[in-house]
Amino acid sequence: MAKFALFSLLWFLLGNPFVAIIVLLIIAYVLDRRFIGISPSLIRPIKRRQRIGKLKQELSISPHNLSAKQELGHLLIESKRYREAREVLEPIRDRMDQSAEYLDDLGTAYLHTGDSSLGEAAIREALELNPRVKYGEPYLRLAALYSAADKTKALHELNELKLLNSSSCEVYYRMGILYAQMDRKTEAKAAWQEAVRVYQGLPKYLRRKERGWMIRSRYKSMGS
């Protein structure tokens, strides 16, 4: 009702229903980015693309810059350009094999270019070097890798992450999804409810990052 009233007001003020819809969508997006955090950022991809271009220019001048190659590979992965990322990261492995961040990026590139075994091995190496690398994100990648064929193994990886980072609402949300797929409905609902409980105990500076997973978990628990 409130949204319809706002739309009607905008239509009256702007004199055009299509412009009113656009303005309403912009308002909804701004409010979501400010208070909820589910909608993706529109600015971040632009900045990332600009940074990728700058790094490529730097590497054309200084092709042996390892830090630039590592950053470029990481940004390409964020852009889901996995084949390009692999082409950048793979040739420098012999000089970067003591970097957990690098190995996780390389493993991610392998996973998304059809080499699951190489990807798993590289991510395992990253976790052996530093189990806390990227706040435990590699465990999420391993869980996703196993989720189709071996859900018990996927749950094990998520439990490892839960022990490492108990303030992650995402891990409880994903555990709930796996439990639901295994028809363990009671455990699924408990996991989603735990995500909500964890969120309520988080300090304000962490809530924005976890809010989207909490909302998803609350929705799932209400429907289960």
Side-chain angles (χ1 to χ4, degrees):
M1 189 65 180
K3 291 179 181 178
F4 179 76
L6 180 57
F7 170 71
S8 299
L9 177 62
L10 289 171
W11 187 354
F12 173 75
L13 293 174
L14 299 171
N16 187 311
F18 299 106
V19 175
I21 290 173
I22 292 172
V23 172
L24 187 62
L25 290 173
I26 291 172
I27 292 172
Y29 174 79
V30 171
L31 290 175
D32 176 81
R33 292 297 301 167
R34 177 66 180 84
F35 298 107
I36 301 176
I38 292 179
S39 300
S41 170
L42 299 178
I43 303 299
R44 190 176 302 160
I46 296 172
K47 291 183 176 180
R48 184 167 56 227
R49 189 161 54 247
Q50 291 173 340
R51 183 59 181 162
I52 287 172
K54 185 176 180 180
L55 287 168
K56 286 183 175 181
Q57 286 183 337
E58 289 180 13
L59 287 168
S60 68
I61 298 170
S62 179
H64 302 295
N65 187 334
L66 289 180
S67 62
K69 287 186 176 181
Q70 182 178 2
E71 184 182 356
L72 176 59
H74 180 73
L75 291 176
L76 288 170
I77 287 171
E78 286 189 348
S79 302
K80 302 188 186 304
R81 295 157 62 177
Y82 301 110
R83 181 64 61 182
E84 285 184 67
R86 178 172 176 169
E87 291 171 357
V88 171
L89 294 172
E90 203 168 24
I92 61 173
R93 175 160 188 169
D94 59 339
R95 290 169 288 171
M96 297 293 294
D97 61 358
Q98 293 303 305
S99 168
E101 291 82 0
Y102 163 82
L103 287 168
D104 178 59
D105 281 341
L106 179 63
T108 303
Y110 281 142
L111 289 180
H112 290 276
T113 53
D115 283 312
S116 298
S117 58
L118 289 176
E120 180 182 2
I123 291 172
R124 289 288 181 199
E125 284 185 59
L127 289 170
E128 286 177 11
L129 285 171
N130 180 8
R132 296 182 176 274
V133 61
K134 299 181 182 177
Y135 302 99
E137 284 184 15
Y139 290 109
L140 292 175
R141 283 183 260 286
L142 292 174
L145 174 65
Y146 303 141
S147 61
D150 192 338
K151 290 179 172 54
T152 300
K153 199 171 181 180
L155 279 171
H156 172 76
E157 299 301 330
L158 291 177
N159 272 303
E160 291 293 311
L161 176 55
K162 184 178 70 172
L163 293 173
L164 182 72
N165 184 6
S166 60
S167 63
S168 171
C169 297
E170 180 180 3
V171 67
Y172 292 105
Y173 172 79
R174 296 196 181 280
M175 288 177 75
I177 294 294
L178 284 173
Y179 282 132
Q181 291 172 348
M182 298 166 74
D183 203 30
R184 294 162 63 176
K185 296 180 181 180
T186 301
E187 290 161 289
K189 186 171 184 176
W192 291 323
Q193 290 176 335
E194 183 66 12
V196 176
R197 188 197 67 78
V198 166
Y199 175 83
Q200 292 170 341
L202 292 177
K204 287 185 178 180
Y205 73 93
L206 281 178
R207 287 192 172 192
R208 177 174 173 77
K209 177 177 178 293
E210 300 294 335
R211 191 174 292 128
W213 297 110
M214 181 276 292
I215 291 171
R216 294 180 181 93
S217 296
R218 176 171 285 169
Y219 175 79
K220 286 287 188 181
S221 66
M222 290 172 62
S224 61

